[in-house]
Amino acid sequence: MKPAPFEYQAPASLDAALDILAHRVGDIGEAKVLAGGQSLIPVMNFRLAEPALLVDINKLAELDFIRRGDDGGLRIGALTRQRRLERDLSVAEVAPLLHETMPFIAHPQIRNRGTLGGSLAHADPAAELPAIAVALRARFRLRKAGGERWVDAADFFRGLFTTLLEPDEILVEVAIPPLPARTGWAFLEIARRHGDYAQVGIAALVTLDDAGRCREARLVYLSAGDRPIVAREAARLLAGQEISPQAITAAADKASRDEMEPFGDVHATAEFKRHLARVLTGRALRKAAERAERTKGRAA
Amino acid sequence: MSGLYKVSVTVNGQAYEREVEPRLLLSDFLRHDLGLTGTHVGCEHGVCGACTVLFDGEPVRSCILLAVQADGHAVTTVEALSPNPDQLHPLQQAFWESHGLQCGFCTPGFLMTLLPFLEENADPSEEEIRHAISGNLCRCTGYQHIVDAVKLAAERRRESDG
Ligand SMILES: Cc1cc2nc3c(=O)[nH]c(=O)nc-3n(C[C@H](O)[C@H](O)[C@H](O)COP(=O)(O)OP(=O)(O)OC[C@H]3O[C@@H](n4cnc5c(N)ncnc54)[C@H](O)[C@@H]3O)c2cc1C
Ligand code: FES
Ligand code: FES
């Protein structure tokens, strides 16, 4: 047997799952939520994690949904499989950045099990979905027995594999607002092999004003620090400007030099990752700006 | 206090009921409890793809799924492919003819990954094939003959359908 022994419960309702967690807080050992298991079971197989109790939420059909929100955006249940996000037409229409990013996440066999909520709760700084959620200004609904709160994606990620989630909380839903009018998007990453975790990646959004200048840019990086990295200063340099080669270079330099802290590893030094980030920033900004041009007439 | 849990699962069309520890992986359940050793385990942490099986028709890694999670579900393993001991499945036949395997350790995982892929892609390009197998590792073939095998299998499928 690979994992250490644990107690297993597979409640049939969210309330039952929350009750189990509420009663286990402060109890001996650790209770863990089991979603797709695509990150949790590998670390348990290595015995890097030895939770005393697994609360399997896979029977909670109530957490598996994709629907349109009142604001025209999307409401997505935390248990929604990554493969479903990849194939869903409303995701492609309302959140094309998310749609386009899905195939970069691991492999189909993993995405068939892996969930949206699991990837966000896992908070790997090299993962795509946390960066996308921050770029899209998603909001997360966290429930616990007798209470709930909504938090901004940008506040949720606290560091390496660390989030705002309390041990008795479950991430239940993700709300993604619609894109503003005249907004283009791009997702780019460099990985050694398709489906591998990226050495560095970027999600970019560019909103143009009526004169075709940048009203707002948003640049969010993965594998560029201990959590999704938002390059606020670089975005500020672009605001009010035309997306010219000079403006792009200035923003790419700023973001890669001053706004990220990538970790070096066996495949790429920190310096090389900054270089990749600088190049990707240029490509992503050009692509996003081009798409924003083309969406001219479209209202939000 | 981990106790035993009852699992009712359909594997290759046959219903099984077993009592298992929750920490038993689906891959070990298939191999040790059911004796279906065609599903191979390489890395046991989700990276190599050797243990790929179909779970309700979709390919998954059986080494990072718990057997208890298969309760009420249908699993298909490589044993289900050939119609009888003297005949290979067309995909297996194509692997054999194209030298898509050498030691064969990775082969069950490739087959179970490619089966649903070919159903969705009648005429895949080389790039699509390489993407489809990017989650499966082979230490022997260098992949080229595997790609050839997939092309051959797709071609024959189109001919027999058309
Ligand atoms: C070979 C391989 C390659 C991969 N490559 C990539 C990649 O390139 N990019 C990428 O982003 N990911 C990659 N992954 C990870 C994959 O996307 C996982 O699916 C994801 O990280 C975790 O989602 P899960 O649903 O499987 O969560 P689980 O593994 O079930 O859980 C992960 C963690 O989140 C907690 N959790 C899960 N759901 C909730 C919830 N609703 N509320 C509170 N806590 C919760 C769990 O307790 C656990 O701590 C890869 C995985 C493998 C095995
Ligand atoms: S044995 Fe399951 S992926 Fe390697
Ligand atoms: S044939 Fe030997 S590992 Fe693929």
Side-chain angles (χ1 to χ4, degrees):
Chain A
M1 304 259 185
K2 301 289 284 187
F6 53 84
E7 190 193 333
Y8 174 81
Q9 300 208 34
S13 75
L14 175 61
D15 285 333
L18 294 169
D19 269 345
I20 297 168
L21 289 177
H23 284 101
R24 291 299 285 241
V25 169
D27 205 347
I28 26 128
E30 198 188 356
K32 276 257 172 213
V33 170
L34 174 64
Q38 302 300 287
S39 294
L40 184 54
I41 307 280
V43 293
M44 288 173 61
N45 283 354
F46 280 125
R47 301 206 176 185
L48 292 172
E50 300 191 9
L53 166 68
L54 281 196
V55 181
D56 185 344
I57 61 171
N58 283 280
K59 296 208 165 121
L60 309 186
E62 60 199 291
L63 297 188
D64 179 7
F65 61 85
I66 301 177
R67 48 177 177 256
R68 297 296 281 262
D70 295 336
D71 62 353
L74 287 173
R75 310 290 289 258
I76 308 178
L79 194 65
T80 306
R81 308 279 169 202
Q82 293 158 11
R83 192 75 163 150
R84 180 168 170 208
L85 287 178
E86 175 182 356
R87 292 171 162 168
D88 187 87
L89 295 178
S90 59
V91 171
E93 189 190 331
V94 181
L97 174 64
L98 175 60
H99 171 75
E100 204 165 281
T101 304
M102 294 314 299
F104 288 96
I105 302 171
H107 315 289
Q109 299 105 312
I110 310 276
R111 297 198 291 278
N112 277 329
R113 290 300 296 172
T115 65
L116 171 62
S119 177
L120 298 173
H122 191 55
D124 187 328
E128 287 83 2
L129 289 171
I132 295 298
V134 170
L136 292 175
R137 295 196 160 88
R139 288 166 52 74
F140 302 161
R141 184 170 164 219
L142 315 183
R143 288 260 336 249
K144 65 160 131 187
E148 73 162 45
R149 57 178 172 151
W150 281 92
V151 300
D152 289 339
D155 299 327
F156 179 78
F157 300 101
R158 306 311 299 169
L160 213 52
F161 302 108
T162 309
T163 71
L164 278 182
L165 275 169
E166 300 286 343
D168 58 344
E169 275 181 321
I170 294 181
L171 166 58
V172 294
E173 180 177 348
V174 174
I176 299 177
L179 290 177
R182 298 204 72 185
T183 299
W185 70 93
F187 178 81
L188 296 171
E189 70 172 42
I190 306 271
R192 297 186 77 234
R193 183 177 63 139
H194 180 84
D196 280 3
Y197 281 103
Q199 287 174 353
V200 80
I202 178 176
L205 291 165
V206 171
T207 304
L208 299 179
D209 63 18
D210 293 337
R213 284 193 218 92
C214 176
R215 182 193 297 275
E216 197 198 4
R218 197 155 168 80
L219 302 170
V220 184
Y221 298 83
L222 48 135
S223 287
D226 68 354
R227 66 191 86 178
I229 299 295
V230 185
R232 292 196 175 77
E233 292 300 319
R236 213 162 285 151
L237 290 178
L238 290 162
Q241 304 289 315
E242 232 167 90
I243 306 281
S244 64
Q246 294 80 354
I248 288 175
T249 305
D253 284 348
K254 183 76 195 166
S256 60
R257 207 182 317 121
D258 302 333
E259 298 195 80
M260 58 184 62
E261 283 299 332
F263 311 119
D265 57 43
V266 285
H267 300 304
T269 62
E271 212 32 58
F272 181 55
K273 288 189 181 184
R274 284 182 200 277
H275 166 74
L276 294 176
R278 190 166 58 75
V279 175
L280 287 186
T281 306
R283 290 183 194 163
L285 279 172
R286 279 191 292 276
K287 191 166 173 186
E290 241 167 62
R291 282 174 159 165
E293 286 281 345
R294 275 192 268 128
T295 60
K296 246 173 204 150
R298 206 177 88 192
Chain B
M1 43 175 262
S2 74
L4 291 182
Y5 289 73
K6 204 171 83 191
V7 182
S8 307
V9 56
T10 305
V11 181
N12 302 335
Q14 195 181 329
Y16 293 90
E17 233 180 72
R18 291 286 190 283
E19 301 238 305
V20 301
E21 261 193 84
R23 62 178 170 146
L24 181 68
L25 303 172
L26 178 60
S27 47
D28 288 338
F29 175 74
L30 293 170
R31 293 174 55 83
H32 302 161
D33 290 62
L34 303 190
L36 295 170
T37 51
T39 299
H40 290 172
V41 288
C43 67
E44 301 196 86
H45 64 276
V47 173
C48 74
C51 67
T52 302
V53 298
L54 303 187
F55 191 81
D56 294 336
E58 302 268 23
V60 302
R61 319 283 216 207
S62 60
C63 74
I64 47 177
L65 250 181
L66 302 173
V68 285
Q69 295 188 285
D71 184 45
H73 294 273
V75 176
T76 310
T77 68
V78 70
E79 282 90 350
L81 289 195
S82 76
N84 61 59
D86 303 319
Q87 202 186 337
L88 293 175
H89 182 280
L91 182 58
Q92 291 172 311
Q93 183 72 26
F95 262 68
W96 186 48
E97 288 176 35
S98 309
H99 304 284
L101 64 152
Q102 288 175 31
C103 79
F105 194 84
C106 67
T107 314
F110 274 90
L111 295 172
M112 299 318 283
T113 300
L114 287 164
L115 209 61
F117 170 76
L118 284 173
E119 247 150 59
E120 284 178 27
N121 302 275
D123 191 7
S125 67
E126 162 135 12
E127 199 193 335
E128 285 166 338
I129 295 170
R130 287 191 179 269
H131 267 195
I133 59 172
S134 65
N136 293 72
L137 296 180
C138 174
R139 300 300 305 270
C140 304
T141 63
Y143 304 99
Q144 187 53 53
H145 292 305
I146 294 178
V147 174
D148 293 345
V150 181
K151 283 188 189 152
L152 180 64
E155 194 182 303
R156 291 205 177 136
R157 229 181 108 96
R158 287 197 304 278
E159 277 164 10
S160 68
D161 285 353

